[in-house]
C-alpha cells in the first residue's frame, strides 16, 4: 500500500474545542450549497445564465465542460471571488459567496511562498486569531495528514510537483473548511502522480466530510472522484448525473466506462 493512503495517525483539530477532548474524530461536515438563477456577464458576453444548483452537505461534485465554457467562472462565483450579474448563492447558513474562513480554494499551481519554510506555508491557512506557535502546531499536524511531516522545515523548492500540491492541500485543510473548491488542482501533474493524488484527495475528503466542488477537464478524474457530475454547456447545466459506483473506484470496469463514455460523447458531440 502507498504510505500516503494509510490512515492518518494524527488528526488536526483545534485543541480548544469541545470535540477535541472526546475520543471521536472531529467530523465538522460539509456546507450545503444553493444556487438560484445564477448568471454572469462580462460586458455584453453572457458566460453563465439561469443556473440552479443544490449541493448536499459533504457531496463531491465535479464540473466538466469544454475549455472556456465557464467552469472557473462558476467556481469563482461560488467562492465569492466575483459578484454574480444575477441570481443568488447560499453556502451554509450564509448568503453570498463563500468568502470566509470555512471555505478554501485549491488552484492548479500550488502558489507556495518560496521564502517560507513548508510548515510556515501551511500555517498561512490557519486561523489568524491563533498564536504563531498554535498555527505552527496545526500546520505540522496537517502536514502529517498529507504524508509530509518530515519535510516541515524544508523549502518549497526542494519538493516535487505532487508534493508541492500536497502542501497546498494541507494549507487549504488546516482551517478545517466545510467547503473546498478545486480548479484543475491536478492538471499540472504527470499521470501517475495524478492518480496517487486522486486517491489521496478522496481519502481526506472522506475523513473530513467537507463539501467538494472540483473543476476538471479530465472526465475519468471526475468519474473517479465525484458523487455527481455536472456538464456546463451554452452557459447552463447540460448534464447532471450521479455516479453510483462503490469507492474506491476502478477505472476499466464496464460501469466506469459507461459513465465516462456518456459524458465524453456529450462533450465530443458539441465540438464546435
Ligand atoms: N474577467 C473576465 N473578463 C472577461 N471575460 C472573462 C473573464 N473571465 C472569464 N472570461 C470569459 O468567460 C468565459 C469562461 O471562462 P472560464 O470560466 O475561465 O472557462 P473555463 O474555466 O471553463 O475554461 C471565457 O470565454 C472567458 O474568456
Ligand atoms: Mg478554467
Amino acid at each position: 500500500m502507498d504510505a500516503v493512503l494509510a490512515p492518518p495517525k494524527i488528526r488536526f483539530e483545534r485543541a480548544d474545542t469541545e470535540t477535541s477532548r472526546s475520543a471521536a474524530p472531529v467530523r465538522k461536515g460539509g456546507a450545503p450549497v444553493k444556487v438560484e438563477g445564477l448568471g454572469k456577464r462580462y460586458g455584453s458576453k453572457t458566460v453563465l445564465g439561469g443556473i440552479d444548483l443544490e449541493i448536499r452537505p459533504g457531496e463531491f461534485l465535479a464540473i466538466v465542460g469544454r475549455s472556456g465554457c465557464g467552469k472557473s467562472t462558476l467556481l469563482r462565483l461560488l467562492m465569492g471571488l466575483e459578484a454574480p450579474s444575477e441570481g443568488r448563492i447560499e453556502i451554509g447558513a450564509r448568503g453570498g459567496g463563500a468568502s470566509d474562513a470555512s471555505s478554501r480554494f485549491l488552484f492548479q499551481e500550488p502558489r507556495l511562498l518560496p521564502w517560507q519554510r513548508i510548515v510556515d506555508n501551511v500555517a498561512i491557512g490557519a486561523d489568524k486569531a491563533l498564536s504563531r506557535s498554535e498555527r505552527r502546531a496545526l500546520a505540522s499536524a496537517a502536514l502529517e495528514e498529507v504524508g509530509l511531516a518530515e519535510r516541515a522545515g524544508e523549502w518549497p523548492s526542494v519538493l516535487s510537483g505532487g508534493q508541492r500540491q500536497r502542501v497546498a492541500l494541507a494549507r487549504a485543510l488546516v482551517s478545517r473548511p466545510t467547503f473546498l473548491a478545486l480548479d484543475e488542482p491536478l492538471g499540472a501533474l504527470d499521470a501517475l502522480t495524478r492518480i496517487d493524488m486522486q486517491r489521496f484527495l478522496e481519502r481526506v475528503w472522506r475523513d473530513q466530510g467537507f463539501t467538494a466542488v472540483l473543476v476538471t477537464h479530465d472526465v475519468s478524474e471526475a468519474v473517479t472522484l465525484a458523487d455527481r457530475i455536472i456538464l456546463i454547456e451554452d452557459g447552463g447545466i447540460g448534464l447532471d448525473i450521479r455516479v453510483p459506483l462503490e469507492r474506491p473506484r476502478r477505472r476499466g470496469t464496464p460501469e466506469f466506462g459507461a459513465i465516462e463514455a456518456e459524458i465524453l460523447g456529450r462533450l465530443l458531440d458539441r465540438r464546435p
Side-chain angles (χ1 to χ4, degrees):
M1 276 292 280
D2 187 336
V4 160
L5 299 177
K9 290 190 269 311
I10 297 180
R11 320 213 138 255
F12 44 96
E13 52 193 47
R14 289 275 296 271
D16 54 352
T17 57
E18 259 312 301
T19 32
S20 68
R21 284 193 285 275
S22 72
V26 175
R27 193 171 170 92
K28 194 160 111 182
V33 178
K34 190 166 187 192
V35 171
E36 277 175 355
L38 183 67
K40 181 67 182 174
R41 288 183 298 275
Y42 293 110
S44 59
K45 182 184 161 87
T46 299
V47 176
L48 297 170
I51 301 230
D52 295 317
L53 178 66
E54 279 193 45
I55 311 174
R56 290 201 309 253
E59 190 168 37
F60 200 129
L61 178 83
I63 303 175
V64 299
R66 302 192 72 87
S67 181
C69 70
K71 303 182 294 296
S72 297
T73 303
L74 178 54
L75 212 52
R76 288 198 304 271
L77 289 166
L78 288 177
M79 286 301 286
L81 299 176
E82 284 198 46
S85 306
E86 62 204 22
R88 32 189 260 116
I89 299 168
E90 265 175 45
I91 298 201
R94 289 162 282 127
S99 54
D100 79 355
S102 63
S103 301
R104 283 289 185 270
F105 212 132
L106 191 64
F107 300 93
Q108 180 166 332
E109 332 78 64
R111 302 187 180 192
L112 305 180
L113 302 175
W115 59 86
Q116 299 240 325
R117 290 181 197 276
I118 287 162
V119 65
D120 292 318
N121 265 284
V122 175
I124 289 168
D127 186 346
K128 301 281 179 287
L130 299 172
S131 71
R132 184 156 185 269
S133 64
E134 284 173 315
R135 274 185 278 136
R136 273 195 150 210
L138 287 172
S140 300
L143 280 169
E144 177 89 28
E145 184 112 354
V146 301
L148 288 172
E150 73 285 6
R151 312 302 292 269
E154 297 181 33
W155 305 104
S157 58
V158 303
L159 299 180
S160 70
Q163 289 169 331
R164 279 182 214 174
Q165 201 53 312
R166 269 149 65 194
V167 174
L169 183 62
R171 182 183 54 198
L173 298 178
V174 70
S175 60
R176 306 291 286 188
T178 57
F179 180 81
L180 183 65
L182 310 107
D183 196 351
E184 310 253 9
L186 312 181
L189 305 177
D190 66 83
L192 283 178
T193 308
R194 200 177 167 113
I195 289 172
D196 281 345
M197 282 292 286
Q198 287 167 2
R199 292 189 191 147
F200 179 73
L201 199 56
E202 180 175 44
R203 184 179 65 67
V204 288
W205 165 74
R206 289 184 78 156
D207 280 354
Q208 298 200 6
F210 49 80
T211 304
V213 180
L214 168 74
V215 164
T216 180
H217 62 262
D218 180 346
V219 172
S220 141
E221 179 165 290
V223 179
T224 301
L225 290 174
D227 295 319
R228 177 179 164 206
I229 302 174
I230 61 172
L231 185 148
I232 305 285
E233 61 185 15
D234 303 330
I237 297 176
L239 202 62
D240 184 342
I241 57 170
R242 296 222 157 264
V243 184
L245 308 176
E246 297 263 300
R247 297 172 183 271
R249 295 174 181 154
R250 299 170 61 87
R251 288 152 207 260
T253 64
E255 298 77 19
F256 190 108
I259 296 171
E260 201 177 12
E262 181 182 353
I263 299 166
L264 273 174
R266 180 74 173 246
L267 282 168
L268 293 172
D269 276 355
R270 307 288 297 219
R271 192 159 31 189

